[in-house]
Amino acid sequence: NKFLLYLSYLVFLFSVFTITMSGERAALLSCIIYMLLIVLLFRKFYYEKIIIVFSLLSFIFIIFTYHPHLKDKIVNKTLNELNINQNILLINKSYAGFYQTSFNIFANNPIFGEGPKTFREKCKNYNIKNNCSTHPHNYYLQLMSEAGILGVLPLILLSIGSVLAGFIF
């Protein structure tokens, strides 16, 4: 029933407004997770679900825009407590040179790669910051540099297939 959907949407919108204005971080996170679960679990009302998600996130953004102290309390304080307010570094600095070298080797021969177990020899030609090793310390980058796209393609297809199988079953 669309009437109940819109009524629940209004109640949920009021709840999000109240929770956001109160500054309760855990309650807001729970509310957002609840919203996402409802959107994922209901099979009907496709366009209404998209509108609901977009409008609720826009609503929270508007509240943060007009009340920056709430953004500081909810977002910035959380990021500071989690120590992720600086630039997030997803790779270890000591391996960055290996990764860059591996990518440079891949960029030179992207289709077939340079050949198996050639990273240690080719590293000297593409070296970044005098970082050479027997391997780039990353399976995917090693496979890309040594076997190219044709070598990585089966792994990518297998990964996509397993993700799709997880959604189906």
Side-chain angles (χ1 to χ4, degrees):
N1 190 336
K2 283 195 177 194
F3 174 73
L4 289 176
L5 178 73
Y6 292 128
L7 181 63
S8 62
Y9 170 67
L10 287 174
V11 169
F12 194 70
L13 187 65
F14 181 72
S15 300
V16 167
F17 174 75
T18 306
I19 291 169
T20 306
M21 293 303 287
S22 72
E24 289 294 323
R25 298 179 293 174
L28 184 62
L29 180 65
S30 297
C31 195
I32 291 172
I33 290 172
Y34 176 73
M35 173 193 63
L36 292 175
L37 285 174
I38 286 176
V39 167
L40 291 174
L41 294 177
F42 281 141
R43 296 187 185 269
K44 294 182 180 181
F45 308 114
Y46 296 109
Y47 298 112
E48 288 85 354
K49 290 190 303 186
I50 293 171
I51 291 170
I52 288 170
V53 170
F54 182 73
S55 62
L56 285 174
L57 294 177
S58 299
F59 188 66
I60 292 172
F61 178 75
I62 290 169
I63 290 173
F64 285 162
T65 302
Y66 288 106
H67 298 283
H69 67 281
L70 287 174
K71 181 183 179 245
D72 287 338
K73 183 178 181 181
I74 295 174
V75 178
N76 296 339
K77 184 178 178 183
T78 304
L79 293 177
N80 284 333
E81 289 176 356
L82 294 174
N83 292 326
I84 56 175
N85 56 342
Q86 291 87 22
N87 292 332
I88 299 173
L89 184 63
L90 297 177
I91 60 172
N92 189 339
K93 288 182 182 179
S94 62
Y95 296 137
F98 297 140
Y99 296 170
Q100 185 63 46
T101 303
S102 177
F103 185 76
N104 290 344
I105 293 171
F106 168 74
N108 188 41
N109 196 355
I111 303 298
F112 298 107
E114 291 290 338
K117 296 188 179 183
T118 58
F119 183 82
R120 65 188 78 181
E121 288 89 26
K122 298 295 180 179
C123 179
K124 298 168 189 157
N125 301 335
Y126 299 95
N127 194 0
I128 303 291
K129 301 178 187 175
N130 292 328
N131 280 340
C132 274
S133 178
T134 57
H135 62 285
H137 296 82
N138 183 301
Y139 293 119
Y140 299 105
L141 291 175
Q142 182 173 357
L143 192 58
M144 282 175 44
S145 67
E146 295 179 355
I149 291 175
L150 292 179
V152 175
L153 191 62
L155 182 64
I156 292 171
L157 293 176
L158 183 66
S159 298
I160 291 172
S162 65
V163 168
L164 291 176
F167 281 124
I168 293 171
F169 300 111

